Amino acid sequence: MKTSRIILLAAIVLSFVYPVNIFAQKIGKQELFLLDEEIKNIGYSHVQINLKHDVSFADLVKNRASSTEKIRTVEDNVLLDLGSSIIQSATWRNQLGQIGVVASSEGLSKISKSPLIASYARDDTWATRSSIYFADNQIEKIQSKLQTESIVGIEVLINFNDVEFEIQKNGKSLLKASELNSQAIINEVTKFYESLESDQYSNLEKSRRLLEPRSLRQSLFVNQRDFLKLLARKDLRNIRLQDDPEVILLPLSKEILDHARKYEKVGVIIDLQRYMGYSPRRDVLNNAAWQSQARAIQTAFNDIFEKIGLSDRSTLQVFEGLASASVVLPRASVELLFQSRDPRIRSILINKPMAETSLLQSVPAINMTQAIAKGLNGTGQFIAVLDNGFLVTHPFFQGRMTIEACYGSTQVFENKLYEPVCPGADGAGNSIGVGTAGVLPPPDWNDHGTKMAGIIAGGGGPNGIQGVVPKSRLLGFQVFSRVKDSNVCPRHFSSCYQSFFADWTEALMRLSLLNFPELTVNMSIGSTANLYSNGGTCVDATGYAFRDAVLMLKSQKIPVISATGNSGSRTAISTPACIPEVVKVAANVDVSNAFAGFSNMANPSAYAGPFFIAPGSVIETSYTSGGYTAVNGAGTSQAAAHVSGLYAAMKQIFPNISVDDATSTLKQVGFAEVVAGFPITRVWIPNL
């Protein structure tokens, strides 16, 4: 089998010219079908428009100000032409050649005929662009009701940071304002209603009858157009269906109780209610509001654990600011939780091992020599790799591993003891500092992290091989724990390594604290045993902790990229890729671009967040021996590593770019393909 080498950053084609178009025509029939279906369902479709202009990708890089001014002129003309056939207030622009609109059927017809539009497609980013935090499938519930009723009652919460967040024992939330802030709240409510009037919301008089001038929570009556306008607003923190229960008590799985009774303890992730007023987004809450939310959550957990008699809290990890925690509970505490259900708790899930390493994790190089030669090499960028350890001293990394950390779990799952392998671990099994993210001890495969880091950021290898962004800096996060059981481990190894959702979440929380907008997160790990056919069932099964951590990073302009998995499914993908807002990456077999039979794929419209494919076959990269190897195999891990490098490159080209704008641009400059009947973008970056 021919060995591919990592030569350059983002071209998956050999020619290096700006693509004429990502579609043979303005849109592929599969994309058009999805847009038509959306119009049938809600009367509008979310469309990404790729503008026709004479600004090349190289122009954008070299002359950003003058180039964006030219693009802005085209944007203005397109939006003027579309007029009332789109919802103008729900439009986004990235000034890189793409705009997003919410179009009626008339608008879709105008888009197809406009000479100013090069191509258009379904907008993958519209849901993730919203600054509003939704839980419990609220968007789907509201839109479903609007399909049968012309007007629906909803509740909105106006974002105002100068209030104290409180979680009540009945499971509901309270935003408490001081006397000094009462007038400020009245002013915010007045301004909100004035903006609704200026944007011509319908049913405004009916809504005014329910107006509470001193409350940030307001009741509104909306039609479909009004609701789509609300989704694009930046001054709302939450929206929920008016008659939907705020306190949701999901059934506690008997599996948890059975596990605790059988093994005397169980590791769990506890999600509190996703309250009105709660948000994991750091671009919505200022520092004071974030700290207020964190205090309220910590107070609630302290009270809950006090009531169930949890004295040993050494394994407790409250994900600061997020309404979730992981902990190992003894049997007695679990019994008390089941006997008296606390309404503040939304759900409890067993903290199961969710990822494993495998030798079948090979994908191809991405050819980008010219781009690297022109300086597109990741300078100033940081890549966090969450994996199974790293040979930090490998010459391929050239001393660019700047931060090391290790996150592990000590718990019994199905009578198997998992233990952290973090040097100098604290009570929760974690450690941070030099030497904490090293190569894991044999006999299990322990080379995966070293390979992924090399693909992303390796530099100065033999015969000119280098990674995707060879001047970027690495953050190595080892997130695997050891289990000693030959019945669990592949090839009957005496021990092996698996990873837990709680440790992923804790690692993302640590990265958020760094607050590096130049950061990209790679997770070329996942579970082959847990596949999900849509984002909703994925979150229901895995809980909100990890998703909220991803959202928090995204609000800080930090993408999280993961592989779809290698089970060969065409209806479902693995965790964590299935989580909304995670960038999902499938694989091609090799540079021929044939889609890999082993790669998981599903309908992209069933998930919130973008789908990409990168070629995958055989690759030569860094190895734990200190040398280099080409692993004969195939998988999606390296595909995700390459796409991680692409996001870092976009962030180098366009500093301070949002995750959604980077996604929209990568989709536009890539190549539209159809896999299993679904439209998907093969990544590619033009010549500089």
Short mmCIF file of all heavy atoms in Angstrom, two decimals, residues 84-105:
data_model
loop_
_atom_site.label_atom_id
_atom_site.label_comp_id
_atom_site.label_asym_id
_atom_site.label_seq_id
_atom_site.Cartn_x
_atom_site.Cartn_y
_atom_site.Cartn_z
N SER A 84 -37.63 41.56 1.21
CA SER A 84 -38.53 40.95 2.20
C SER A 84 -38.69 39.45 2.00
O SER A 84 -39.41 38.80 2.76
CB SER A 84 -39.90 41.62 2.15
OG SER A 84 -40.48 41.46 0.86
N SER A 85 -38.02 38.90 0.98
CA SER A 85 -38.12 37.44 0.77
C SER A 85 -37.24 36.68 1.77
O SER A 85 -37.28 35.45 1.81
CB SER A 85 -37.73 37.07 -0.66
OG SER A 85 -36.34 37.26 -0.88
N ILE A 86 -36.44 37.40 2.52
CA ILE A 86 -35.66 36.81 3.61
C ILE A 86 -35.96 37.58 4.89
O ILE A 86 -36.52 38.68 4.85
CB ILE A 86 -34.14 36.85 3.33
CG1 ILE A 86 -33.64 38.30 3.27
CG2 ILE A 86 -33.79 36.10 2.06
CD1 ILE A 86 -32.14 38.43 3.25
N ILE A 87 -35.60 37.01 6.03
CA ILE A 87 -35.74 37.71 7.31
C ILE A 87 -34.45 38.50 7.52
O ILE A 87 -33.42 37.94 7.92
CB ILE A 87 -35.99 36.72 8.46
CG1 ILE A 87 -37.27 35.92 8.19
CG2 ILE A 87 -36.10 37.46 9.80
CD1 ILE A 87 -37.55 34.85 9.24
N GLN A 88 -34.49 39.77 7.21
CA GLN A 88 -33.27 40.57 7.19
C GLN A 88 -32.56 40.60 8.55
O GLN A 88 -31.33 40.56 8.61
CB GLN A 88 -33.61 42.01 6.74
CG GLN A 88 -34.03 42.13 5.29
CD GLN A 88 -32.84 42.11 4.33
OE1 GLN A 88 -31.69 42.27 4.73
NE2 GLN A 88 -33.13 41.93 3.03
N SER A 89 -33.31 40.63 9.64
CA SER A 89 -32.68 40.73 10.96
C SER A 89 -32.03 39.41 11.39
O SER A 89 -31.31 39.38 12.39
CB SER A 89 -33.71 41.16 12.01
OG SER A 89 -34.78 40.22 12.09
N ALA A 90 -32.29 38.33 10.64
CA ALA A 90 -31.69 37.03 10.98
C ALA A 90 -30.49 36.71 10.10
O ALA A 90 -30.03 35.57 10.06
CB ALA A 90 -32.74 35.93 10.85
N THR A 91 -29.96 37.71 9.42
CA THR A 91 -28.84 37.51 8.50
C THR A 91 -27.51 37.58 9.24
O THR A 91 -27.34 38.35 10.18
CB THR A 91 -28.86 38.62 7.42
OG1 THR A 91 -30.06 38.49 6.66
CG2 THR A 91 -27.68 38.50 6.49
N TRP A 92 -26.56 36.74 8.82
CA TRP A 92 -25.19 36.89 9.31
C TRP A 92 -24.25 37.12 8.13
O TRP A 92 -24.51 36.70 7.01
CB TRP A 92 -24.72 35.68 10.13
CG TRP A 92 -24.74 34.33 9.46
CD1 TRP A 92 -25.69 33.37 9.62
CD2 TRP A 92 -23.76 33.80 8.54
NE1 TRP A 92 -25.38 32.27 8.84
CE2 TRP A 92 -24.19 32.50 8.18
CE3 TRP A 92 -22.57 34.28 8.00
CZ2 TRP A 92 -23.48 31.69 7.31
CZ3 TRP A 92 -21.85 33.48 7.12
CH2 TRP A 92 -22.31 32.20 6.79
N ARG A 93 -23.14 37.81 8.41
CA ARG A 93 -22.10 38.05 7.41
C ARG A 93 -20.75 37.72 8.05
O ARG A 93 -20.53 38.04 9.21
CB ARG A 93 -22.05 39.52 6.98
CG ARG A 93 -23.37 40.17 6.63
CD ARG A 93 -23.09 41.60 6.22
NE ARG A 93 -24.29 42.38 5.94
CZ ARG A 93 -24.31 43.48 5.17
NH1 ARG A 93 -23.17 43.90 4.61
NH2 ARG A 93 -25.41 44.14 4.97
N ASN A 94 -19.85 37.11 7.29
CA ASN A 94 -18.51 36.89 7.85
C ASN A 94 -17.43 37.71 7.15
O ASN A 94 -16.26 37.63 7.51
CB ASN A 94 -18.13 35.41 7.82
CG ASN A 94 -17.97 34.84 6.42
OD1 ASN A 94 -18.06 35.56 5.42
ND2 ASN A 94 -17.73 33.55 6.32
N GLN A 95 -17.83 38.50 6.16
CA GLN A 95 -16.92 39.39 5.42
C GLN A 95 -15.78 38.62 4.74
O GLN A 95 -14.74 39.18 4.43
CB GLN A 95 -16.37 40.48 6.34
CG GLN A 95 -17.45 41.38 6.88
CD GLN A 95 -16.91 42.53 7.72
OE1 GLN A 95 -15.71 42.61 7.99
NE2 GLN A 95 -17.79 43.40 8.14
N LEU A 96 -16.01 37.33 4.54
CA LEU A 96 -15.03 36.49 3.85
C LEU A 96 -15.61 35.89 2.57
O LEU A 96 -15.02 35.02 1.97
CB LEU A 96 -14.54 35.37 4.77
CG LEU A 96 -13.84 35.80 6.05
CD1 LEU A 96 -13.53 34.60 6.93
CD2 LEU A 96 -12.57 36.57 5.73
N GLY A 97 -16.81 36.38 2.21
CA GLY A 97 -17.41 35.91 0.98
C GLY A 97 -18.67 35.08 1.16
O GLY A 97 -19.23 34.59 0.20
N GLN A 98 -19.10 34.92 2.43
CA GLN A 98 -20.32 34.16 2.70
C GLN A 98 -21.29 34.99 3.55
O GLN A 98 -20.87 35.77 4.40
CB GLN A 98 -20.02 32.84 3.44
CG GLN A 98 -19.14 31.88 2.70
CD GLN A 98 -17.68 32.18 2.87
OE1 GLN A 98 -17.21 32.42 3.98
NE2 GLN A 98 -16.92 32.17 1.78
N ILE A 99 -22.56 34.80 3.30
CA ILE A 99 -23.59 35.34 4.17
C ILE A 99 -24.61 34.24 4.44
O ILE A 99 -24.75 33.30 3.65
CB ILE A 99 -24.29 36.58 3.57
CG1 ILE A 99 -24.95 36.25 2.22
CG2 ILE A 99 -23.33 37.74 3.45
CD1 ILE A 99 -25.73 37.42 1.63
N GLY A 100 -25.29 34.33 5.56
CA GLY A 100 -26.34 33.37 5.89
C GLY A 100 -27.67 34.08 5.97
O GLY A 100 -27.78 35.17 6.55
N VAL A 101 -28.68 33.50 5.36
CA VAL A 101 -30.02 34.10 5.37
C VAL A 101 -31.06 33.06 5.73
O VAL A 101 -30.85 31.85 5.57
CB VAL A 101 -30.37 34.73 3.99
CG1 VAL A 101 -29.37 35.82 3.62
CG2 VAL A 101 -30.44 33.67 2.90
N VAL A 102 -32.19 33.56 6.21
CA VAL A 102 -33.37 32.72 6.43
C VAL A 102 -34.35 33.11 5.34
O VAL A 102 -34.91 34.22 5.34
CB VAL A 102 -33.97 32.95 7.83
CG1 VAL A 102 -35.18 32.06 8.04
CG2 VAL A 102 -32.92 32.70 8.90
N ALA A 103 -34.55 32.21 4.38
CA ALA A 103 -35.26 32.55 3.15
C ALA A 103 -36.60 31.84 3.04
O ALA A 103 -36.73 30.67 3.43
CB ALA A 103 -34.40 32.20 1.93
N SER A 104 -37.58 32.55 2.50
CA SER A 104 -38.85 31.93 2.13
C SER A 104 -38.67 31.23 0.79
O SER A 104 -37.59 31.26 0.18
CB SER A 104 -39.93 33.01 2.02
OG SER A 104 -39.59 33.91 0.96
N SER A 105 -39.72 30.59 0.30
CA SER A 105 -39.61 29.94 -1.01
C SER A 105 -39.32 30.96 -2.10
O SER A 105 -38.56 30.70 -3.04
CB SER A 105 -40.89 29.17 -1.33
OG SER A 105 -42.01 30.03 -1.28
#
